[in-house]
């Protein structure tokens, strides 16, 4: 999967949830969206990037959501 | 005049709380106040002779055939224009009336050719019937002046106008104005010289006529007649079915000789269309038997190989073998399916069942991905159900109509006509669109506000409208307190009240003056029943889902939900977009919009389907393309879709298709996608099978088989054969059994059955114990999710932005005469209206680039380049250009990008940054496309040289 494309899509999701004033709720929103709508190859690719990238281009909210909700997003794929 | 013997009462039925009782020929009859004597008589079983009167039109009183006598009144009033009154005593038959009617008829016939035996209306002619009814036996004025030598106008490809047979009853003129709302027909001259003429041209084809056919249906003679009837004669039987074009889902009567369609006549009892149709549904059905139809299965090992015709058995066995081979080699998740909104509910249900149960994966998606997937997401989040809230009839109770990113008179023409009827009655119109669509200024309709926003700024505009509602105290507080989540509303109120959302702050983004936005918001919030109708101009954006939620927020904040006349109404593009989504075509949802991770839902389906189901969301169409290019997705079964033409960034799509090892296409024609296929399974048109479609108002309607499938099998049978070959048994003997299974598994379809559909004509879901006859209006006492939920809708500018290299914004859409990728309409005479896709641009942008009307123009974007012919038009605003995507060679989607909605991946077709330049030849892509298409057509006809595939 084209990681640049996935990063762009993930950051778009993050941009939507930036409107939420409660950061915890926003982070959970990003995580829930990824878990419910993204196929596992896409989620795994995103985590592979997160875990290996030196200078991630994921927005802080998306990075935070991926880190905080790893178990929910990856589930049994871990 | 249709074959259906509808009892035409002559004038429209009235509804009133007041009733009057009168006596007609001694028969007492009680009718609502406002009912005509003619209609009352018909209710009493007395049909008064008539020619200019029909129940579909208001009375006109011109033919004088319907005269009656009323006790204690002088003269002979026309019964069509005389209202029934309390105590009135009417006589419809006596010697004086007999003489009068016969005299009137004698005058009509004195100027009418007496060629009944060779006339196309013979056996189905109101004039002929009425002449018999009034006992006409001679014509004393046969040698007088007449119009018998006037030439027939055959310019329209579908119907002819023979003025020698016209009786100038004006039914066609009134149908054009009152029903269709185009006002293309008029009566010229006076007295003996009176003739019907098409305005704005010398003949029908060059006039403003949109060829809806309402005039043809209204004509009581053969003056306006379908050419198919002229050529083949009167039909002998009629089958009620549903149009296979847009999301209006018109009910049509297919009138036939044996299995041959003679004409399509809109069904007067059709809940969506009430007897009206458009140029596509009424006339453009010839594609079903077009010579391009492929009726034999074909296979090949490479897309550079010739196709080999094979038996159904071999094709199915080969397909199953290939799909299993791929799963064994690359993993179960390496294959998937795409369902189509051009297929029936039963067919889409079966394809998603095949994918989940036989393939064992959730990699199934549908073409709604690229049109209304944001509607599904946005309305589910806010209202709790992924569907529009109203029926079409609701518009007749709207006081304010807001049309956002939709073009109903082109995209949904029958509903567009109905909307115009309401607007002519005085409802106010707000249009939010970058382009001046026809509704903005059309005969007797002018928008109160045209919010001419820049493409990509919808969310900024809807936020500004909502800001005005909140800031100026226009919130319906009682509704919000009673019906909506308090915490979510309070959070939203604080959010939207921020000055950054004010019309003054957003004007620089949207391009819409603040005072215009404020005035529109006030009108929407305070103008009475306010209804929003929206289309792909809302959804096909990077913030499509956000915009849908913004629309729902605005409707809830003003209390415009939950009763007739209001609501949030997505105008679905294709006939079964709603249905294909309902049927579980999305990779994350089982039928009825239930997430695959929901254990109880999965267990329910597992118990009936007999296999374990995956709880993982599958790939969406754009994700399938990415995975194919990445090498992990290898096989795809596409039923009834043409992703190579319809999906954005054609270069990316065709790269993905070329990356597949097995592409299976099931279709009527060798469409653009099929040119990349390894297996071709012939499809069946809507005339060749039974099933149901669900239109934009959640109305489930039957399609009925009128001819045997040209390729032997209906599409559901092909899917079933494939499933059985894969080892997952399916044993349906009729689509009604598939619907029964859907009803067992889907609460909103619980009471839907073919028996109930036959009984009720059509059903709007939810249909269950609580709503046994269906649900025209949703969310009446509470939202489907309980309390309505306001969502935060921050405007985020799209990444697809103009710059010096690409300074213009391209937006795409559709036109009346063509439909979607054009596979159907391009194989009809509708090409006479739209033989190619055109680029519309503003005179300023044209002048800046030295472009003249009719020039070839190169359109360059970040994704690619194509060449289109230019039309300079002030419908556009400077900086915005427009085209359609009906012709594959136009390459509109070569230019569009993969940028998509954040929530659903719905492509942002409506915003592409481009540059234009005058050119002299087709683009490189167009040359390659032409060469590839030519090669593929040769491979279709060429016998394979080597061993079997």
């Amino acid at each position: 999967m084209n990681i640049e494309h996935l990063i762009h899509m993930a950051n778009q999701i993050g941009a939507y949830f930036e409107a939420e004033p409660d950061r915890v709720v926003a982070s959970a929103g990003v995580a829930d969206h990824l878990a419910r709508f993204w196929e596992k190859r896409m989620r795994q690719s995103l985590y592979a990037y997160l875990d290996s990238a030196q200078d991630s281009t994921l927005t802080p909210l998306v990075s935070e959501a991926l880190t905080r909700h790893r178990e929910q997003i990856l589930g049994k794929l871990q | 005049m249709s074959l259906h013997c509808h009892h035409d009462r002559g004038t429209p039925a009235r509804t009133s709380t007041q009733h009057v009782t009168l006596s007609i020929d001694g028969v007492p009859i009680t009718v609502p106040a406002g009912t005509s004597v003619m209609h009352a008589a018909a209710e009493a079983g007395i049909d008064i002779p008539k020619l200019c009167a029909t129940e579909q039109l208001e009375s006109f009183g011109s033919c004088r055939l319907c005269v009656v006598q009323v006790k204690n009144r002088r003269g002979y009033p026309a019964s069509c224009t005389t209202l029934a009154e309390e105590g009135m005593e009417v006589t419809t038959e006596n010697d004086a009336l007999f003489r009068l009617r016969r005299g009137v008829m004698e005058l009509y016939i004195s100027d009418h050719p007496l060629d009944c035996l060779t006339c196309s209306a013979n056996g189905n002619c109101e004039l002929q019937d009425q002449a018999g009814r009034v006992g006409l036996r001679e014509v004393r004025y046969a040698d007088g002046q007449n119009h018998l030598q006037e030439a027939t106008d055959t310019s329209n490809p579908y119907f002819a106008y023979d003025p020698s047979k016209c009786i100038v009853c004006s039914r066609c003129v009134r149908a054009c104005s009152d029903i269709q709302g185009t006002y293309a027909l008029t009566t010229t001259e006076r007295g003996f010289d009176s003739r019907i003429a098409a305005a704005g041209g010398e003949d029908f084809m060059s006039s403003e006529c949109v060829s809806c056919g309402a005039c043809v249906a209204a004509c009581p003679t053969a003056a306006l007649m379908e050419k198919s009837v002229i050529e083949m004669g009167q039909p002998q039987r009629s089958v009620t079915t549903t149009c296979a074009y847009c999301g209006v889902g018109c009910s049509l009567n297919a009138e036939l000789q044996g299995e041959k369609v003679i004409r399509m006549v809109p069904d007067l009892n059709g809940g969506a269309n009430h007897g009206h149709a458009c140029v596509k549904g009424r006339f453009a059905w010839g594609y079903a038997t077009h010579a391009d139809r492929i009726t034999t299965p074909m296979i090949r090992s490479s897309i550079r190989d010739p196709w080999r015709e094979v038996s159904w058995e071999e094709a199915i066995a080969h397909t199953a073998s290939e799909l299993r081979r791929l799963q064994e080699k690359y993993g179960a998740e390496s294959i998937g399916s795409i369902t189509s909104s051009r297929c029936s509910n039963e067919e889409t249900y079966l394809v998603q069942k095949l994918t989940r149960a036989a393939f064992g994966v959730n990699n199934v998606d549908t073409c709604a991905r690229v049109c209304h997937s944001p509607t599904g997401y946005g309305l589910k989040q806010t209202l709790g159900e992924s569907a529009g809230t109203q029926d079409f009839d609701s518009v007749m109770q709207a006081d304010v109509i807001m049309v956002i990113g939709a073009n109903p008179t082109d995209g949904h023409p029958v509903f567009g006509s109905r909307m115009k009827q309401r607007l002519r009655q005085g409802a106010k119109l707000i249009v939010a669109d970058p382009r001046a669509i026809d509704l903005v200024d059309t005969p007797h309709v002018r928008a109160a506000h045209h919010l001419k926003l820049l493409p990509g700024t919808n969310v900024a505009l809807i936020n500004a409208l909502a800001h005005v509602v909140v800031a100026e105290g226009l919130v319906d507080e009682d509704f919000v307190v009673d019906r909506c989540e308090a915490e979510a509303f309070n959070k939203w109120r604080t959010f939207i009240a921020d000055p950054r959302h004010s019309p003054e702050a957003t004007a620089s983004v949207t391009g819409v003056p603040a005072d215009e936005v404020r005035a529109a918001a006030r009108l929407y919030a305070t103008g009475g029943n306010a209804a929003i109708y929206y289309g792909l101009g809302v959804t096909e954006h990077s913030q499509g889902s956000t915009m849908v939620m913004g629309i729902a927020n605005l409707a809830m904040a003003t209390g415009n939900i939950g009763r007739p006349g209001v609501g949030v109404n997505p105008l679905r593009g294709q006939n079964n977009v709603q249905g294909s989504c309902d049927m579980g075509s999305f990779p994350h949802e089982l039928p009825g919009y239930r997430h695959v991770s929901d254990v109880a839902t999965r267990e329910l389906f597992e118990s009936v389907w007999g296999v374990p189901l995956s709880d993982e969301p599958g790939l969406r169409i754009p994700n399938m393309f990415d995975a194919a290019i990445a090498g992990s997705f290898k096989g795809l079964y596409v039923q009834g879709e043409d992703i190579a033409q319809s999906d954005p960034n054609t270069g990316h799509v065709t790269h993905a298709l070329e990356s597949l090892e097995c592409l299976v296409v099931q279709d009527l024609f060798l469409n653009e996608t099929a040119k990349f296929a390894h297996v071709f399974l012939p499809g069946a048109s809507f005339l060749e099978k039974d099933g149901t479609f669900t239109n934009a108002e959640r109305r489930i309607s039957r399609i009925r088989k009128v001819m045997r499938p040209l390729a032997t099998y209906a599409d559901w049978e092909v899917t079933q054969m494939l499933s059985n070959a894969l080892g997952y048994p399916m044993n349906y003997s009729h689509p009604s059994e598939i619907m029964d299974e859907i009803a067992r598994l889907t609460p909103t379809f619980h009471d839907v059955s073919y028996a109930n559909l036959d009984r009720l004509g059509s059903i709007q879901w939810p249909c269950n114990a609580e709503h046994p006859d269906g649900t025209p209006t949703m969310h009446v006492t509470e939202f489907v999710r309980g309390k309505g939920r306001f969502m935060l809708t921050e405007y985020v500018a799209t990444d697809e932005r103009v710059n010096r290299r690409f300074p213009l914004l391209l937006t795409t859409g559709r036109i009346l005469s063509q439909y979607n990728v054009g596979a159907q309409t391009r194989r009809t005479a509708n090409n006479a209206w739209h033989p190619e896709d055109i680029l519309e641009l503003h005179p300023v942008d044209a002048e800046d680039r030295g472009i003249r009307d009719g020039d070839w123009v190169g359109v360059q974007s970040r994704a690619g380049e194509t060449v289109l012919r230019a039309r300079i038009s002030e419908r556009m605003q400077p900086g915005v250009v427009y085209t359609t995507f009906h012709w594959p060679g136009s390459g509109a989607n070569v230019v569009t990008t993969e940028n998509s909605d954040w929530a659903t991946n719905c492509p942002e077709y409506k915003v592409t940054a481009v540059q234009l330049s005058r050119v002299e030849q087709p683009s490189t892509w167009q040359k390659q496309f032409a060469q590839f298409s030519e090669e593929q057509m040769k491979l279709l006809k060429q016998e394979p040289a080597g061993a079997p595939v």
Side-chain angles (χ1 to χ4, degrees), chain A residues 16, chain B residues 374-375 377-379 381-383 402 404 458-467 469-470 492 495-496 524 532 534 538 543-558 561 567-568 789-795 902:
Chain A
Y16 171 76
Chain B
T375 289
Y377 179 87
L379 296 186
Q381 293 290 318
T382 48
L383 311 181
M402 189 187 298
I404 310 176
N458 283 338
V459 173
L461 178 66
I462 204 77
N463 284 347
L465 291 164
H467 176 90
V469 169
V470 168
W492 176 80
F495 164 83
I496 208 72
Y524 176 79
I532 296 175
Y534 72 88
V538 160
Q543 282 203 288
S545 292
T546 312
M547 180 61 181
V548 173
M549 293 188 285
I551 287 171
N553 288 342
L554 186 64
M556 289 191 291
T558 52
I561 291 268
V568 176
R789 180 163 63 153
F790 283 81
M791 299 293 289
L792 303 184
T793 55
E794 187 70 60
Y795 167 65
W902 67 269

Side-chain angles (χ1 to χ4, degrees), chain B residues 246-258:
Chain B
C246 78
V248 178
C250 293
S251 180
L252 302 172
N253 293 320
E255 296 194 347
L256 307 136
Q257 291 174 353

Side-chain angles (χ1 to χ4, degrees), chain B residues 127-164:
Chain B
L127 183 64
Q128 196 176 43
D129 293 346
Q130 297 299 333
R133 169 78 168 78
V134 303
L136 183 69
R137 295 293 176 264
E138 64 173 338
V139 178
R140 293 167 289 172
Y141 319 115
D143 296 331
Q145 202 177 356
N146 59 54
H147 300 84
L148 302 184
Q149 301 307 316
E150 293 192 9
T152 299
D153 176 357
T154 59
S155 61
N156 184 290
Y158 296 118
F159 62 85
Y161 170 52
D162 182 352
S164 74

Side-chain angles (χ1 to χ4, degrees), chain B residues 132 204 273 332 353 378 585 730 895:
Chain B
F204 267 83
N273 58 316
K353 180 178 178 181
S585 291
M730 289 186 186
V895 181

Side-chain angles (χ1 to χ4, degrees), chain B residues 638-661:
Chain B
V638 183
Q639 185 184 71
E641 267 306 299
D642 193 0
I643 48 181
Q645 185 180 338
S646 63
D647 286 36
N649 192 349
T650 305
H652 182 71
V653 176
T654 54
H655 182 195
L657 296 180
E658 286 172 325
S659 303
L660 297 172
E661 287 190 20

Side-chain angles (χ1 to χ4, degrees), chain B residues 261-288:
Chain B
V261 179
I262 302 299
R263 66 179 168 191
M264 285 285 185
V265 178
D267 177 11
L268 293 170
N269 298 316
N273 58 316
H274 302 292
H276 192 37
C278 77
V279 65
K280 296 189 287 288
R282 191 189 293 256
F283 294 121
W285 37 265
Y287 69 88

